[in-house]
Amino acid sequence: MTDHTPPRRLIGQMLLTNELGHPLLVTSGATGRRQLPGGTALRRETALWTAAYHVRRQLGIHRDPGPVLTIDHTDPEPSSPGDAESLTVVVHGGSLRTAQTACITLPQGGDTEILAWGFVDPARWPDSVDAQQQRCIEAALTALDTGCPYLRNGRRLSSYAVTA
């Protein structure tokens, strides 16, 4: 029997804010677009683990993933053959104080995955944030008061240690 399950990507992103509630965005070296820190999960990785891992890798800071704020199911791009649909899970990473932002360090050694980072006022989105990412961030900011549980195999994950 042929498996007709379409390919899917799982993406974990983390919403970090400053004391004003502005989201931290990173500038992708691949696209030049600004987005929440995060990345694509490998096989058997959860979105929570992926979000925390990529925040540490991209920004050099450790943040435990909090509650899930949004899940964005994205259809494949019809003009890109082989493109997969994706599930982007945005988790809460908390608010960073000024002293904590001073600890942020971008990857060194020729790694151009992330070119820059900064906080963005949601009242004035720059052109470098695409409309879908903007809607996802706005939904995550709205969900800060509620959140939702994250389950794996039907069990709530109350903590998730990230190693590596």
Side-chain angles (χ1 to χ4, degrees):
M1 184 182 264
T2 305
D3 182 9
H4 295 288
T5 305
R8 291 192 177 115
R9 288 178 299 166
L10 177 62
I11 299 166
Q13 292 184 319
M14 188 175 286
L15 176 69
L16 300 161
T17 57
N18 64 9
E19 294 152 334
L20 299 173
H22 298 168
L24 182 149
L25 302 182
V26 295
T27 303
S28 166
T31 66
R33 307 296 291 171
R34 296 181 81 183
Q35 61 198 28
L36 292 172
T40 302
L42 300 177
R43 186 174 170 83
R44 301 187 194 275
E45 289 179 350
T46 68
L48 273 77
W49 189 92
T50 299
Y53 170 79
H54 282 280
V55 163
R56 190 173 60 242
R57 184 168 167 239
Q58 295 170 350
L59 300 172
I61 59 173
H62 174 83
R63 300 300 291 183
D64 289 326
V68 173
L69 299 172
T70 62
I71 300 172
D72 185 14
H73 184 144
T74 305
D75 295 320
E77 182 60 48
S79 63
S80 297
D83 190 29
E85 67 181 331
S86 64
L87 288 175
T88 300
V89 178
V90 178
V91 299
H92 190 209
S95 178
L96 299 174
R97 293 183 302 279
T98 303
Q100 292 170 308
T101 62
C103 296
I104 293 176
T105 56
L106 297 180
Q108 302 296 311
D111 187 342
T112 57
E113 178 184 358
I114 301 300
L115 300 177
W117 68 273
F119 292 99
V120 173
D121 181 348
R124 294 188 294 273
W125 291 106
D127 291 338
S128 58
V129 179
D130 70 39
Q132 181 175 348
Q133 180 73 177
Q134 179 181 332
R135 289 189 303 270
C136 190
I137 296 167
E138 288 171 344
L141 288 167
T142 301
L144 281 171
D145 294 330
T146 57
C148 66
Y150 188 92
L151 307 177
R152 183 162 193 197
N153 300 322
R155 294 186 183 95
R156 184 180 182 136
L157 294 177
S158 58
S159 66
Y160 204 84
V162 177
T163 59

